[in-house]
């Protein structure tokens, strides 16, 4: 996805509005006011509110895929597991408005296209997490008492809950420290206890 610097500014401003006012507050009128643009200036870059949200989710999906592809290179599933989540917590601590875009239930009701793009983002995360879990289970570092799919759901659900708690706390606690503690707790549960 090619995104211009101006489109990125609009996406970031949209994230700020989502954070402060929710989905219903994200209107082209409010966005233009936030950016001190005319509404027509916004429309030159995006056709609609839906296009802005799609741009935000696609930008996040592609950026996440690129960052994780560059970072996850170890042959140690525990190191890779920690790296994957540490990167996510660092990114979201820098750009909390993306948390609202990803973890806002109201967006899922906006359109089928947004739902499909949200699935794309989830698939990017699973694309990087699943091989780590599978390798950990094959090497008997992670338990085989539950399936890879079940472990994926548990891990992804725990991550989502952590981010949701941070969001409803108005981003007031240290997500990197808290997130790293969460990762350590998950590892203590999924690590193989044998041998």
């Amino acid at each position: 996805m090619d995104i211009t610097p101006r489109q990125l500014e609009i996406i970031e401003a949209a994230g700020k509005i989502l954070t402060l006012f929710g989905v219903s507050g994200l209107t082209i009128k409010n966005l233009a006011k936030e950016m001190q643009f005319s509404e027509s200036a916004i429309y030159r870059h995006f056709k609609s509110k839906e296009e802005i949200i799609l741009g935000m989710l696609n930008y996040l999906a592609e950026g996440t895929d690129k960052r994780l592809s560059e970072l996850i290179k170890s042959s140690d599933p525990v190191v890779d597991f920690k790296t994957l989540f540490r990167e996510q917590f660092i990114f979201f601590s820098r750009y909390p408005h993306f948390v609202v875009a990803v973890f806002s239930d109201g967006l899922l009701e906006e359109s089928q296209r947004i739902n499909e793009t949200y699935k794309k983002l989830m698939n990017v995360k699973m694309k990087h997490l699943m091989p780590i879990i599978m390798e950990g289970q094959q090497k008997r570092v992670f338990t085989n008492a539950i399936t890879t799919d079940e472990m994926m759901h548990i891990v992804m659900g725990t991550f989502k809950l952590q981010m949701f708690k941070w969001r409803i706390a108005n981003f007031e606690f240290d997500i990197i420290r808290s997130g790293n503690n969460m990762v350590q707790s998950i590892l203590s549960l999924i690590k193989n206890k044998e041998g």
Side-chain angles (χ1 to χ4, degrees), residues 29 36 110 117 130-131 141 143-144 149 155 171 178:
K29 182 177 184 169
Q36 300 177 343
E110 287 290 308
T117 308
M130 183 163 295
V141 173
T143 183
N144 284 295
D149 280 344
V155 171
F171 311 112
S178 183

Side-chain angles (χ1 to χ4, degrees), residues 99-185:
V99 171
V100 180
V102 176
F103 301 101
S104 176
D105 292 334
L107 285 181
L108 297 176
E109 285 87 47
E110 287 290 308
S111 79
Q112 186 59 37
R113 288 177 67 206
I114 290 174
N115 289 348
E116 292 302 318
T117 308
Y118 185 75
K119 286 179 196 170
K120 174 184 169 183
L121 177 59
M122 285 184 50
N123 287 336
V124 165
K125 292 185 182 199
M126 291 190 297
K127 166 188 160 184
H128 292 282
L129 181 59
M130 183 163 295
I132 294 170
I133 292 174
M134 288 175 72
E135 181 183 14
Q137 287 180 313
Q138 289 166 357
K139 290 182 173 179
R140 302 187 59 74
V141 173
F142 298 154
T143 183
N144 284 295
I146 57 175
T147 68
T148 303
D149 280 344
E150 290 166 340
M151 195 177 297
M152 286 276 299
H153 288 121
I154 291 167
V155 171
M156 294 281 285
T158 304
F159 174 73
K160 183 173 181 173
L161 179 61
Q162 182 71 26
M163 300 310 291
F164 181 72
K165 283 171 44 181
W166 186 50
R167 166 69 185 103
I168 62 172
N170 205 26
F171 311 112
E172 290 185 2
F173 62 83
D174 182 347
I175 190 60
I176 296 172
R177 186 181 57 75
S178 183
N180 287 337
N181 290 342
M182 180 209 81
V183 168
Q184 283 304 125
S185 296

